Amino acid sequence: MLKHPLPALAAAVTGALTVGLLAAAPAVAAAEEAPTPTTTINGYRNVGYYGQWRATGEAQATVKRLFVDGPAGANLTHLNYSFGNIAGDQAALDAARAAGVQGLADVEPYTCFISDTPAAGPGQTDTAGDADSDFVHAFTAEQSVLGIADNPKQKLAGNFNQLKQLKRLYPDLKVNVSLGGWSWSKSFSKAVATAERRAALAESCIDLYIRGDLPLVDGRGGPGVAAGVFDGFDLDWEWPGAPDWAQEVGNSVDPVNDKANFIAFAAELRAQLDALEGETGADYEISAFLPAGPTQIGAGGWNTPELWASLDYGNLQGYDLWGSWSAETGHQGNAYGDPAHNWGLGLDTVVASYVNAGVDPAKLNLGLAAYGQGWTDAEPQPWTISGGGLGQITWDQLKARDLEIHHEYTADGRFNATWGYDSGARHFWSFDDELAVAEKTAWALSKGLGGVDFWEVGNDVAGDLPAASAEVLRAAAPGPVAGSEGRQCAATPDAAARPWNASTTYRGGELVYLDGLVFEAQWYAKGDEPGASARGPWSTLTACGVDPETVQDWYADRIYVKGDQVVYDGVTYSAQWWSRNDVPGGKHSPWKR
């Protein structure tokens, strides 16, 4: 799989544009038993794509580094795990099995799968997968979200297990799997070509990612082992029906039928997820990665009402509007299109392509880049000829360079873009920094959009950029997205709680959070999981986000003293003396109604 899966936006240069707890859930949460549509920050989404290879690659941008050691867990509402692949034809599957590729034992053509073998090259992705990153790789205790080292007997390891642990610290975080991407969209067209294939594809994706029925690879995997990791799908087909210049080499494309088939597949996936919701009581989402170019938009029907009847929201490509594929420097994500450059393409025209077609702006997130496009032998000025493109580097790499940062504004004072210049190397870079993110987020909110999204959070280990957008979202007027505010466990009225970690030593009085609850250590604790024992070192203090003084449901592990009140079976009880693990209402109970 390519390490740089999102494409240069060829449309921008080819044509004109038109614009397990011990007790019941706390009583204070009883009013929210029904599933809510999504998770928000003040009524907005803050979405981060995460490349699966990041955790095991050179960057070592593990889930723990990003979401536990860094602030991403507190600042993102959604994590889009990238990517899932769709199998090629029977011949490709047979050849891969004959070559010893694992993970393909029961895989049918044109269905979701995970294998253990990367693609040999661009366009050779029919049976490519990254099972090692997904669920095989063993993380050490130091690398693990909860400080628990993976062992050889585990059926679930890798990123999937880390995401499962992460959801114990952030129960409201929505984790969706992104299907396709620039490198793995080859088989999408054929996989949705008939009603039978669409149904089989949707069923296979749900079985694999939602029901968690993983293939067997190196002793890992099995039926249901990844259940509970994912909350839905992000459709990232790049690009249905679009011409060859907009495709990765080898992609199957049907210019006549892709649009209708894509819309029909989204409807089929929505119908199967809705049926599953009736079975599980959960709430599953479908989002999509939305192209910026009018050619791709029109070819795939990305802004049609029929598609949006199946989507909960979409993530606009707000970057790669210009890039290092051209010798001319420019802005990869300028807010306002300039007719003198790049056929007037800007974030304003991208948003208008959807809103003017009738898409509810609250269903749109504005895409922001955690990387930069670069040029060499360049002038300190956008839209000038350089010596050639340098490609892309991450936000972390950009921060490490001694760049002169420039924030460009329009003649009437509106923010437009950020760029940086390295005078010694004569390098020009176009990117989003914290100021650009804040300004663009505010601009998106002024247009009624439902939030922002980032490609890709592994490029920003310190979490600078999602933190900048989250600050704007929290300070704004409440947003248009229906959903629950993500619970914040770290802050309590009297002290700051920390995420529980099995490798950390705790003393009496220290606070940790896990599974939506804050626990207080009663004495020395190390490796003792909070909530696992009614007589262990941890006592439940409160539900996350709830004042400890609030009367809550009875917890078996909580130490109560005379005068404490609890709710049990809808009845309020008062403690008559010290108690722990004494059920209210029992004979000779320390609890009085």
Side-chain angles (χ1 to χ4, degrees):
M1 181 175 183
L2 295 180
K3 299 301 185 187
H4 165 52
L6 296 187
L9 195 71
V13 294
T14 56
L17 292 176
T18 59
V19 186
L21 303 180
L22 285 172
V28 292
E32 297 181 5
E33 289 179 353
T36 51
T38 195
T39 301
T40 72
I41 295 175
N42 192 28
Y44 301 99
R45 305 178 205 89
N46 208 28
V47 181
Y49 284 85
Y50 176 61
Q52 65 209 131
W53 60 90
R54 281 292 180 184
T56 55
E58 291 182 5
Q60 288 290 294
T62 61
V63 174
K64 178 179 183 290
R65 283 190 70 193
L66 294 173
F67 291 88
V68 181
D69 299 341
N75 289 325
L76 290 177
T77 60
H78 297 69
L79 183 158
N80 284 352
Y81 186 81
S82 310
F83 291 99
N85 199 3
I86 298 171
D89 60 20
Q90 189 66 54
L93 288 167
D94 290 343
R97 292 184 185 112
V101 175
Q102 297 185 81
L104 303 177
D106 300 314
V107 175
E108 297 291 331
Y110 309 122
T111 61
C112 277
F113 75 101
I114 300 174
S115 79
D116 71 335
T117 302
Q124 302 178 56
T125 60
D126 305 74
T127 60
D130 192 0
D132 183 64
S133 294
D134 290 345
F135 66 93
V136 174
H137 180 83
F139 287 100
T140 65
E142 185 178 6
Q143 298 169 324
S144 171
V145 166
L146 295 182
I148 304 171
D150 293 326
N151 66 70
K153 295 183 179 181
Q154 280 179 228
K155 295 301 181 182
L156 184 69
N159 287 330
F160 287 6
N161 187 45
Q162 294 304 300
L163 292 173
K164 196 169 187 176
Q165 292 184 18
L166 181 65
K167 293 179 81 169
R168 298 190 66 186
L169 298 180
Y170 295 97
D172 300 319
L173 179 70
K174 295 290 187 180
V175 180
N176 300 321
V177 61
S178 190
L179 299 177
W182 180 244
S183 296
W184 283 358
S185 289
K186 177 178 181 178
S187 300
F188 239 125
S189 179
K190 293 181 179 178
V192 300
T194 67
E196 293 76 16
R197 286 186 183 177
R198 291 191 290 271
L201 176 60
E203 183 179 9
S204 70
C205 296
I206 289 171
D207 286 347
L208 183 63
Y209 294 109
I210 307 299
R211 298 187 186 277
D213 297 339
L214 300 182
L216 297 177
V217 176
D218 292 342
R220 311 275 199 205
V225 301
V229 173
F230 294 103
D231 299 295
F233 297 94
D234 178 65
L235 304 181
D236 194 354
W237 180 358
E238 302 182 21
W239 301 107
D244 288 345
W245 53 258
Q247 303 285 347
E248 168 67 294
V249 61
N251 280 7
S252 60
V253 184
D254 182 346
V256 176
N257 298 304
D258 273 354
K259 176 179 177 179
N261 292 339
F262 174 44
I263 293 170
F265 170 68
E268 175 66 32
L269 182 61
R270 179 74 274 164
Q272 290 198 27
L273 286 174
D274 285 349
L276 185 62
E277 288 178 1
E279 174 186 327
T280 65
D283 194 65
Y284 303 109
E285 298 184 341
I286 305 177
S287 64
F289 176 64
L290 308 174
T295 300
Q296 292 97 318
I297 293 172
W302 293 93
N303 59 358
T304 60
E306 295 86 356
L307 176 63
W308 284 89
S310 303
L311 300 181
D312 292 283
Y313 64 92
N315 301 305
L316 292 165
Q317 184 173 12
Y319 38 81
D320 287 351
L321 307 188
W322 190 256
S324 50
W325 54 85
S326 170
E328 185 179 16
T329 63
H331 299 313
Q332 70 158 332
N334 47 296
Y336 299 99
D338 181 350
H341 304 291
N342 196 16
W343 291 275
L345 185 63
L347 300 183
D348 55 351
T349 65
V350 175
V351 170
S353 295
Y354 290 86
V355 174
N356 289 351
V359 177
D360 181 357
K363 282 193 167 188
L364 297 172
N365 300 328
L366 181 66
L368 302 168
Y371 65 89
Q373 298 271 4
W375 292 263
T376 188
D377 193 22
E379 299 297 324
Q381 187 68 31
W383 309 115
T384 56
I385 298 299
S386 72
L390 288 169
Q392 301 178 2
I393 61 174
T394 70
W395 166 246
D396 288 334
Q397 292 170 324
L398 285 163
K399 285 197 304 182
R401 298 188 173 221
D402 186 20
L403 298 178
E404 304 164 8
I405 306 298
H406 298 263
H407 299 117
E408 181 180 291
Y409 292 82
T410 63
D412 57 357
R414 297 173 297 169
F415 175 82
N416 189 47
T418 293
W419 56 275
Y421 190 69
D422 183 336
S423 56
R426 287 181 50 80
H427 290 170
F428 179 99
W429 294 97
S430 173
F431 54 90
D432 288 332
D433 63 355
E434 295 102 319
L435 187 144
V437 166
E439 291 279 7
K440 289 181 178 181
T441 300
W443 179 85
L445 270 53
S446 75
K447 302 300 180 182
L449 270 60
V452 299
D453 66 274
F454 293 88
W455 178 268
E456 172 273 336
V457 293
N459 291 337
D460 176 18
V461 172
D464 303 325
L465 305 183
S469 59
E471 183 176 1
V472 174
L473 300 178
R474 291 187 175 106
V481 180
S484 294
E485 187 81 7
R487 286 169 290 177
Q488 295 299 312
C489 294
T492 62
D494 54 349
R498 295 177 291 166
W500 175 74
N501 188 285
S503 300
T504 301
T505 298
Y506 299 97
R507 309 294 179 187
E510 292 193 78
L511 304 181
V512 300
Y513 58 87
L514 186 71
D515 297 326
L517 298 172
V518 177
F519 298 86
E520 182 178 12
Q522 302 303 296
W523 54 82
Y524 172 96
K526 183 176 182 179
D528 302 278
E529 183 176 310
S533 170
R535 302 190 182 280
W538 295 103
S539 172
T540 302
L541 177 66
T542 182
C544 289
V546 178
D547 189 321
E549 299 303 316
T550 301
V551 177
Q552 301 180 53
D553 279 7
W554 171 80
Y555 296 106
D557 68 342
R558 175 131 179 208
I559 296 175
Y560 296 97
V561 297
K562 184 177 179 179
D564 286 342
Q565 290 186 311
V566 300
V567 175
Y568 185 77
D569 281 346
V571 177
T572 300
Y573 293 85
S574 296
Q576 302 304 293
W577 57 81
W578 186 99
S579 72
R580 190 181 198 191
N581 200 26
D582 292 297
V583 180
K587 193 174 183 179
H588 307 302
S589 169
W591 297 98
K592 181 180 180 180
R593 297 178 64 164

